[in-house]
Structure formats: structure tokens, C-alpha cells
Amino acid sequence: MKVILKENVDNLGHIGDIVKVAPGYARNYLLPKGFAIEATEKNAKALEHAKRHLEYKKNKVLEAAKLIAAKIEGITLSIAHQAGADDKLFGAVTNMELAEQLKAAGVEVDRKRIVLDEPIKHLGEFTAAVKLHPEVAATLKVVVTKA
């Protein structure tokens, strides 16, 4: 089934792309969530008219992502955790906890967008990538201290 994307969808395409997907994926996920519309001849003609609007929206989303990235670059999260011998944490610092700390700092980011190479299990300074947009990624500095 062919659909026209109205939003950026990871691993599928960008705004305005015409992509072929499984009928169930389109019917049960893309269409109800408003991420896509069915690629009929009428919608394809309307797409040409809407391309300018979509391009504007695409640029607006990109600019918003760049602004959020600039905020994130300037933030250093300080997290206090209980630690045992050899500065090893009881548990780990995960992307969910980082998302909560960012929200407290005034920047709301979905936890799925915060990418840790591996869970933080030691005290020290670490970095985490925050993928806000396919073209924009920010680096988040995290300092883990002993509670």
C-alpha cells in the first residue's frame, strides 16, 4: 500500500515522501495517528499543492530542533546515586532518568531520543547523544556523583 507521509517517521521516510508499506502498518498505525494519508490520485495532486506547506513545516521543525539542541548543549546534568566500592553504582543511570532530569531543567525530550552507548554504572562524567531530528543531534553532559 502506498502512503504519503505527513510527519517524519524513523526508518521510513520524511515529510512528503511517498512510500510503500504493509497494508496493516498503514491501516493500524500510520493513518490513525495522522502520520500519513493514502496515496490516491486525488491525494497525489493535493500533495503538490501541500508540498510548499510541508516544506515550511519541515523547516520549522528543523529550526525548533536546533533551538532545543542548543539548550541541551548548554546543560550539564548532575545526578547523585548511591555507590559502593570502586565507585560502582547500585543500579544504573538510564535514559528514562536523564529525560526526567532534562524535564526538570526545562527541556522536554522523549526518553527514546536519548541514546546511551551503554547504561551508566560508574561515577564520573559521561556524554549521551540526543537525536532530536534526523539532521540534528545534541550532546548531553552527565555528571554522576556519590549520594
Side-chain angles (χ1 to χ4, degrees), residues 6 31 51 90 116:
K6 290 168 52 179
L31 298 176
K51 276 242 188 206
F90 296 132
L116 289 169

Side-chain angles (χ1 to χ4, degrees), residues 134-145:
E135 300 171 20
V136 179
T139 305
L140 176 64
K141 295 180 190 91
V142 181
V143 178
V144 182
T145 58

Side-chain angles (χ1 to χ4, degrees), residues 69-89:
K71 283 183 185 177
I72 290 173
E73 293 282 343
I75 294 175
T76 301
L77 292 181
S78 186
I79 300 174
H81 259 273
Q82 289 187 343
D86 301 327
D87 294 336
K88 191 169 182 178
L89 297 179

Side-chain angles (χ1 to χ4, degrees), residues 1 4 14 16 23 25-26 28 34 47 49 51 55 65-66 71 78 91 94 110-114 130 133 140 143-144:
M1 176 176 200
I4 301 169
H14 300 291
Y25 183 54
N28 296 322
L47 172 69
H49 174 69
K51 276 242 188 206
E55 190 64 35
K66 285 181 181 178
K71 283 183 185 177
S78 186
T94 61
D110 185 24
R111 70 177 178 87
K112 295 173 187 162
R113 299 202 177 276
I114 300 173
V130 182
H133 188 274
L140 176 64
V143 178
V144 182

